[in-house]
Amino acid sequence: MRIDTAKVIVCSPGRNFVTLKLVTEDGITGVGDATLNGRELAVATYLTDHIVPLLIGRDARRIEDMWHYLYKGVYWRKGAVTMTAIAAVDMALWDIAGKAANMPVYRLFGGASRDSVMVYSHANGETIEQTVEAVAQHQKLGYRAIRAQCATPGQKDAYGVPKGGGRYEPAERGLPKETTWATEPYLQFTPLLFDRLRREFGPDLHLLHDVHHRLRPIEAARLGASLEPFHLFWMEDPVPAELQEGFRLIRQHTTTPIAVGEVFDTIYDSYRLIQEQLIDYLRASVVHAGGLTPLRKMAHLAELYHVRTGCHGATDLSPVTMAAALHFGLSVHNFGIQEHMPHTETTDKVFPHAYSFADGAMHPGERVGLGVDIDETLAASYPYQRAYLPVARLDDGTVHSW
Ligand code: EZ4
Ligand code: CO
C-alpha cells in the first residue's frame, strides 16, 4: 500500500485551512489537517517542498515508522510548523488505515470507551447580562458544559469577546489587530461574573473559563482561589506554560482545576506538569502536537497521573482535526472533555463529515477512516486570504501575551 500522490490544499471558506490529501496506489485516500492559525502558508510550504517528496512510494501502513522518520529525520526537533506538518501526515495515514481495515479509526484504537464525547461551547458577552444570555442560549442547544468570557468593565478589549456580539473568531483578515490588556481589573471582575452565573444557572452546569496565558503564577493563584466558590470545571491557560515550574505556585494556592496545552507541540512541553500532577486537563491537539500517534502516547502518560484530556477545538482547527479528536476522545480511557466551536456552514460544506452533535456531546460516526473529506472543487472557490491573530499591549505600550 504505497503512497502514490500527496497534495496540499489551501482554502479559505470563511477562514484559512491547510489540508493534506494522500492517495495510495490502490486508490485509498486519506486527509490530514495542517492548519496553523496566522502562519498557514509556512506549513503548506513545509509540506509541499520538504515532506511530499519524502512520502511518494513509502508504505502507508507504517504509521509509527513514518512519524519517527519525519520527527527524527528532520534533525531540527519540535516547533509548531514542523509538528503541524507531521500531524497532517499522521492523520491522513490513520484515515487510510481505517479505510483499509473497513473500520472507523476509533476501533483501531481499541474501540469506544464511552458512548459519546462531552463537548463544551463558547458563550461570551460585552456585559454580565449578555454573557448570562449567551450561556442560556447554549444550554438550550443542549450543551452541559459552557465556557464563559466577558469584557471587563472599563477595558477596551477582552479575549474571546467580539465587538457588537456575534460569533467569536480568533483571527482577523489583514494585519494583526492590536488589543490592550490590564490584569488588575480582570482579576477583580472575573469572580463577579462567575458568582452571577452560578446564581443564575445553579450548581450542575459545567462552567469553564479561558485566561489565555495572560497572568503570572501568583496572579493565577489569586484568580483560582477567588473562583473556588463557583467550582469551575477548569481555569484554562492561566499562565504561559514555557515555565512549567510556575504551575507549582498556582497549585499550592488553589483547588480550581487547571487545563493547559493548546499551544503545546510535544510531550516535552507537559511531562513535568503531568508527572508532578500540576494540571488536571491536557489540551494538546491532534493537529499542533504532531498527530494521533503522539497524542495517544501523551494521553497514556497522563492517565497514570490522573490527568484527563481536554483537546483544543476552536474553528481554526479544521473539521479534519475535529473528526480525529473525536475518534481519539471516544477511545482513550482518560478523556475529559472536547472543545467545540461549530464551523460555519460554508466550512462544513467544504469538509463533509460523519460526526454529529446531540445532547451536549459528539460522536465521530461509523464511517470508515476518520469519516471526513474535502470537496476540492468547492475548496478551490475559496482562495487563501491573509489573516493574523491579534497581539496585546499593556496601556503603557508593553507587549503582553495575547
Ligand atoms: O485563541 O484557537 O480555547 N480556545 C482558544 C482559541 C485560540 C485560537 C488561536 O488560534 O484559546 O480560541
Ligand atoms: Co484557549
mmCIF file of all heavy atoms in Angstrom, residues 174-199:
data_model
loop_
_atom_site.group_PDB
_atom_site.id
_atom_site.type_symbol
_atom_site.label_atom_id
_atom_site.label_comp_id
_atom_site.label_asym_id
_atom_site.label_seq_id
_atom_site.Cartn_x
_atom_site.Cartn_y
_atom_site.Cartn_z
ATOM 1 N N GLY A 174 -6.278 40.684 7.185
ATOM 2 C CA GLY A 174 -5.377 41.830 7.184
ATOM 3 C C GLY A 174 -4.248 41.632 8.175
ATOM 4 O O GLY A 174 -3.942 40.512 8.569
ATOM 5 N N LEU A 175 -3.634 42.731 8.585
ATOM 6 C CA LEU A 175 -2.508 42.673 9.528
ATOM 7 C C LEU A 175 -3.030 42.562 10.958
ATOM 8 O O LEU A 175 -4.207 42.823 11.208
ATOM 9 C CB LEU A 175 -1.634 43.916 9.342
ATOM 10 C CG LEU A 175 -0.923 43.975 7.979
ATOM 11 C CD1 LEU A 175 -0.201 45.301 7.793
ATOM 12 C CD2 LEU A 175 0.051 42.803 7.816
ATOM 13 N N PRO A 176 -2.159 42.156 11.914
ATOM 14 C CA PRO A 176 -2.655 41.882 13.272
ATOM 15 C C PRO A 176 -3.309 43.091 13.942
ATOM 16 O O PRO A 176 -2.763 44.201 13.904
ATOM 17 C CB PRO A 176 -1.395 41.479 14.044
ATOM 18 C CG PRO A 176 -0.395 41.099 13.032
ATOM 19 C CD PRO A 176 -0.720 41.868 11.781
ATOM 20 N N LYS A 177 -4.436 42.840 14.564
ATOM 21 C CA LYS A 177 -5.117 43.869 15.335
ATOM 22 C C LYS A 177 -4.362 44.038 16.660
ATOM 23 O O LYS A 177 -3.897 43.052 17.233
ATOM 24 C CB LYS A 177 -6.532 43.364 15.608
ATOM 25 C CG LYS A 177 -7.434 44.327 16.295
ATOM 26 C CD LYS A 177 -8.796 43.684 16.476
ATOM 27 C CE LYS A 177 -9.502 44.304 17.656
ATOM 28 N NZ LYS A 177 -10.594 43.480 18.142
ATOM 29 N N GLU A 178 -4.231 45.274 17.136
ATOM 30 C CA GLU A 178 -3.567 45.497 18.419
ATOM 31 C C GLU A 178 -4.631 45.699 19.488
ATOM 32 O O GLU A 178 -5.499 46.570 19.365
ATOM 33 C CB GLU A 178 -2.652 46.724 18.347
ATOM 34 C CG GLU A 178 -1.548 46.554 17.317
ATOM 35 C CD GLU A 178 -0.153 46.800 17.872
ATOM 36 O OE1 GLU A 178 -0.030 47.469 18.911
ATOM 37 O OE2 GLU A 178 0.825 46.315 17.243
ATOM 38 N N THR A 179 -4.575 44.883 20.534
ATOM 39 C CA THR A 179 -5.554 44.996 21.613
ATOM 40 C C THR A 179 -4.843 45.420 22.894
ATOM 41 O O THR A 179 -3.622 45.346 22.975
ATOM 42 C CB THR A 179 -6.263 43.649 21.850
ATOM 43 O OG1 THR A 179 -5.276 42.680 22.243
ATOM 44 C CG2 THR A 179 -6.959 43.158 20.591
ATOM 45 N N THR A 180 -5.612 45.837 23.896
ATOM 46 C CA THR A 180 -4.981 46.232 25.162
ATOM 47 C C THR A 180 -5.424 45.295 26.278
ATOM 48 O O THR A 180 -6.481 44.680 26.204
ATOM 49 C CB THR A 180 -5.356 47.673 25.567
ATOM 50 O OG1 THR A 180 -6.778 47.768 25.604
ATOM 51 C CG2 THR A 180 -4.816 48.686 24.593
ATOM 52 N N TRP A 181 -4.602 45.233 27.305
ATOM 53 C CA TRP A 181 -4.871 44.314 28.414
ATOM 54 C C TRP A 181 -4.475 44.962 29.737
ATOM 55 O O TRP A 181 -3.443 45.635 29.819
ATOM 56 C CB TRP A 181 -4.070 43.017 28.242
ATOM 57 C CG TRP A 181 -4.166 42.115 29.428
ATOM 58 C CD1 TRP A 181 -3.201 41.896 30.362
ATOM 59 C CD2 TRP A 181 -5.301 41.345 29.823
ATOM 60 N NE1 TRP A 181 -3.661 41.025 31.306
ATOM 61 C CE2 TRP A 181 -4.948 40.666 31.003
ATOM 62 C CE3 TRP A 181 -6.580 41.158 29.295
ATOM 63 C CZ2 TRP A 181 -5.825 39.816 31.679
ATOM 64 C CZ3 TRP A 181 -7.462 40.302 29.960
ATOM 65 C CH2 TRP A 181 -7.081 39.644 31.132
ATOM 66 N N ALA A 182 -5.316 44.749 30.768
ATOM 67 C CA ALA A 182 -4.977 45.202 32.116
ATOM 68 C C ALA A 182 -5.348 44.086 33.086
ATOM 69 O O ALA A 182 -6.497 43.638 33.115
ATOM 70 C CB ALA A 182 -5.730 46.481 32.452
ATOM 71 N N THR A 183 -4.394 43.636 33.879
ATOM 72 C CA THR A 183 -4.597 42.460 34.730
ATOM 73 C C THR A 183 -5.492 42.743 35.941
ATOM 74 O O THR A 183 -6.406 41.969 36.240
ATOM 75 C CB THR A 183 -3.219 41.926 35.200
ATOM 76 O OG1 THR A 183 -2.500 41.506 34.032
ATOM 77 C CG2 THR A 183 -3.365 40.753 36.147
ATOM 78 N N GLU A 184 -5.227 43.838 36.641
ATOM 79 C CA GLU A 184 -5.918 44.058 37.927
ATOM 80 C C GLU A 184 -7.444 44.151 37.789
ATOM 81 O O GLU A 184 -8.169 43.460 38.499
ATOM 82 C CB GLU A 184 -5.322 45.292 38.632
ATOM 83 C CG GLU A 184 -5.869 45.538 40.030
ATOM 84 C CD GLU A 184 -5.736 44.352 41.000
ATOM 85 O OE1 GLU A 184 -4.757 43.587 40.919
ATOM 86 O OE2 GLU A 184 -6.651 44.174 41.831
ATOM 87 N N PRO A 185 -7.974 44.941 36.839
ATOM 88 C CA PRO A 185 -9.430 44.986 36.696
ATOM 89 C C PRO A 185 -10.017 43.612 36.347
ATOM 90 O O PRO A 185 -11.094 43.245 36.836
ATOM 91 C CB PRO A 185 -9.661 45.971 35.547
ATOM 92 C CG PRO A 185 -8.395 46.726 35.390
ATOM 93 C CD PRO A 185 -7.294 45.883 35.930
ATOM 94 N N TYR A 186 -9.296 42.837 35.550
ATOM 95 C CA TYR A 186 -9.753 41.498 35.170
ATOM 96 C C TYR A 186 -9.846 40.592 36.406
ATOM 97 O O TYR A 186 -10.818 39.863 36.588
ATOM 98 C CB TYR A 186 -8.789 40.922 34.130
ATOM 99 C CG TYR A 186 -8.928 39.442 33.871
ATOM 100 C CD1 TYR A 186 -9.946 38.946 33.070
ATOM 101 C CD2 TYR A 186 -8.027 38.530 34.436
ATOM 102 C CE1 TYR A 186 -10.069 37.577 32.835
ATOM 103 C CE2 TYR A 186 -8.133 37.163 34.202
ATOM 104 C CZ TYR A 186 -9.156 36.693 33.409
ATOM 105 O OH TYR A 186 -9.270 35.344 33.183
ATOM 106 N N LEU A 187 -8.812 40.669 37.267
ATOM 107 C CA LEU A 187 -8.797 39.818 38.466
ATOM 108 C C LEU A 187 -9.926 40.188 39.424
ATOM 109 O O LEU A 187 -10.471 39.331 40.111
ATOM 110 C CB LEU A 187 -7.449 39.936 39.189
ATOM 111 C CG LEU A 187 -6.252 39.272 38.495
ATOM 112 C CD1 LEU A 187 -4.967 39.560 39.272
ATOM 113 C CD2 LEU A 187 -6.465 37.762 38.368
ATOM 114 N N GLN A 188 -10.289 41.456 39.447
ATOM 115 C CA GLN A 188 -11.381 41.882 40.335
ATOM 116 C C GLN A 188 -12.747 41.510 39.759
ATOM 117 O O GLN A 188 -13.663 41.165 40.484
ATOM 118 C CB GLN A 188 -11.307 43.395 40.550
ATOM 119 C CG GLN A 188 -10.115 43.800 41.398
ATOM 120 C CD GLN A 188 -10.110 45.293 41.705
ATOM 121 O OE1 GLN A 188 -11.162 45.921 41.802
ATOM 122 N NE2 GLN A 188 -8.934 45.853 41.857
ATOM 123 N N PHE A 189 -12.847 41.571 38.441
ATOM 124 C CA PHE A 189 -14.158 41.392 37.803
ATOM 125 C C PHE A 189 -14.572 39.923 37.615
ATOM 126 O O PHE A 189 -15.748 39.570 37.782
ATOM 127 C CB PHE A 189 -14.152 42.103 36.440
ATOM 128 C CG PHE A 189 -15.381 41.835 35.625
ATOM 129 C CD1 PHE A 189 -16.619 42.370 36.008
ATOM 130 C CD2 PHE A 189 -15.322 41.024 34.496
ATOM 131 C CE1 PHE A 189 -17.765 42.118 35.265
ATOM 132 C CE2 PHE A 189 -16.469 40.766 33.750
ATOM 133 C CZ PHE A 189 -17.688 41.307 34.133
ATOM 134 N N THR A 190 -13.619 39.072 37.269
ATOM 135 C CA THR A 190 -13.971 37.701 36.863
ATOM 136 C C THR A 190 -14.749 36.911 37.926
ATOM 137 O O THR A 190 -15.729 36.227 37.593
ATOM 138 C CB THR A 190 -12.707 36.969 36.360
ATOM 139 O OG1 THR A 190 -12.159 37.781 35.306
ATOM 140 C CG2 THR A 190 -13.022 35.597 35.801
ATOM 141 N N PRO A 191 -14.382 37.006 39.217
ATOM 142 C CA PRO A 191 -15.207 36.296 40.222
ATOM 143 C C PRO A 191 -16.657 36.809 40.259
ATOM 144 O O PRO A 191 -17.574 36.025 40.530
ATOM 145 C CB PRO A 191 -14.498 36.585 41.547
ATOM 146 C CG PRO A 191 -13.111 36.996 41.175
ATOM 147 C CD PRO A 191 -13.199 37.636 39.831
ATOM 148 N N LEU A 192 -16.865 38.088 39.952
ATOM 149 C CA LEU A 192 -18.235 38.628 39.949
ATOM 150 C C LEU A 192 -19.054 37.968 38.842
ATOM 151 O O LEU A 192 -20.224 37.640 39.006
ATOM 152 C CB LEU A 192 -18.234 40.155 39.746
ATOM 153 C CG LEU A 192 -17.390 40.970 40.730
ATOM 154 C CD1 LEU A 192 -17.458 42.465 40.380
ATOM 155 C CD2 LEU A 192 -17.859 40.739 42.167
ATOM 156 N N LEU A 193 -18.402 37.769 37.691
ATOM 157 C CA LEU A 193 -19.072 37.103 36.565
ATOM 158 C C LEU A 193 -19.510 35.692 36.965
ATOM 159 O O LEU A 193 -20.678 35.307 36.765
ATOM 160 C CB LEU A 193 -18.117 37.046 35.363
ATOM 161 C CG LEU A 193 -18.557 36.146 34.208
ATOM 162 C CD1 LEU A 193 -19.785 36.727 33.504
ATOM 163 C CD2 LEU A 193 -17.416 35.950 33.199
ATOM 164 N N PHE A 194 -18.607 34.935 37.562
ATOM 165 C CA PHE A 194 -18.946 33.538 37.869
ATOM 166 C C PHE A 194 -19.893 33.427 39.068
ATOM 167 O O PHE A 194 -20.689 32.483 39.143
ATOM 168 C CB PHE A 194 -17.681 32.689 38.003
ATOM 169 C CG PHE A 194 -17.123 32.374 36.638
ATOM 170 C CD1 PHE A 194 -16.150 33.180 36.062
ATOM 171 C CD2 PHE A 194 -17.657 31.329 35.895
ATOM 172 C CE1 PHE A 194 -15.684 32.918 34.776
ATOM 173 C CE2 PHE A 194 -17.198 31.062 34.610
ATOM 174 C CZ PHE A 194 -16.212 31.858 34.044
ATOM 175 N N ASP A 195 -19.836 34.391 39.962
ATOM 176 C CA ASP A 195 -20.817 34.432 41.058
ATOM 177 C C ASP A 195 -22.215 34.539 40.453
ATOM 178 O O ASP A 195 -23.132 33.797 40.781
ATOM 179 C CB ASP A 195 -20.503 35.634 41.961
ATOM 180 C CG ASP A 195 -21.460 35.733 43.139
ATOM 181 O OD1 ASP A 195 -21.963 34.680 43.584
ATOM 182 O OD2 ASP A 195 -21.714 36.866 43.596
ATOM 183 N N ARG A 196 -22.348 35.468 39.502
ATOM 184 C CA ARG A 196 -23.649 35.683 38.857
ATOM 185 C C ARG A 196 -24.089 34.436 38.069
ATOM 186 O O ARG A 196 -25.240 34.007 38.132
ATOM 187 C CB ARG A 196 -23.556 36.897 37.932
ATOM 188 C CG ARG A 196 -24.792 37.184 37.140
ATOM 189 C CD ARG A 196 -25.969 37.583 38.045
ATOM 190 N NE ARG A 196 -27.237 37.297 37.385
ATOM 191 C CZ ARG A 196 -27.791 38.071 36.465
ATOM 192 N NH1 ARG A 196 -27.225 39.216 36.140
ATOM 193 N NH2 ARG A 196 -28.916 37.731 35.904
ATOM 194 N N LEU A 197 -23.157 33.833 37.336
ATOM 195 C CA LEU A 197 -23.500 32.667 36.514
ATOM 196 C C LEU A 197 -23.950 31.495 37.389
ATOM 197 O O LEU A 197 -24.918 30.808 37.080
ATOM 198 C CB LEU A 197 -22.320 32.253 35.631
ATOM 199 C CG LEU A 197 -21.955 33.235 34.511
ATOM 200 C CD1 LEU A 197 -20.687 32.792 33.786
ATOM 201 C CD2 LEU A 197 -23.099 33.383 33.508
ATOM 202 N N ARG A 198 -23.271 31.294 38.514
ATOM 203 C CA ARG A 198 -23.682 30.204 39.416
ATOM 204 C C ARG A 198 -25.063 30.468 39.993
ATOM 205 O O ARG A 198 -25.891 29.555 40.096
ATOM 206 C CB ARG A 198 -22.671 30.031 40.549
ATOM 207 C CG ARG A 198 -21.604 29.030 40.295
ATOM 208 C CD ARG A 198 -22.129 27.596 40.154
ATOM 209 N NE ARG A 198 -21.094 26.755 39.553
ATOM 210 C CZ ARG A 198 -21.235 26.004 38.470
ATOM 211 N NH1 ARG A 198 -22.395 25.941 37.834
ATOM 212 N NH2 ARG A 198 -20.244 25.285 38.017
ATOM 213 N N ARG A 199 -25.324 31.719 40.372
ATOM 214 C CA ARG A 199 -26.639 32.031 40.949
ATOM 215 C C ARG A 199 -27.731 31.843 39.907
ATOM 216 O O ARG A 199 -28.828 31.393 40.205
ATOM 217 C CB ARG A 199 -26.653 33.434 41.553
ATOM 218 C CG ARG A 199 -26.052 33.411 42.973
ATOM 219 C CD ARG A 199 -26.232 34.704 43.727
ATOM 220 N NE ARG A 199 -25.286 35.709 43.265
ATOM 221 C CZ ARG A 199 -25.616 36.887 42.765
ATOM 222 N NH1 ARG A 199 -26.879 37.242 42.684
ATOM 223 N NH2 ARG A 199 -24.684 37.728 42.375
#
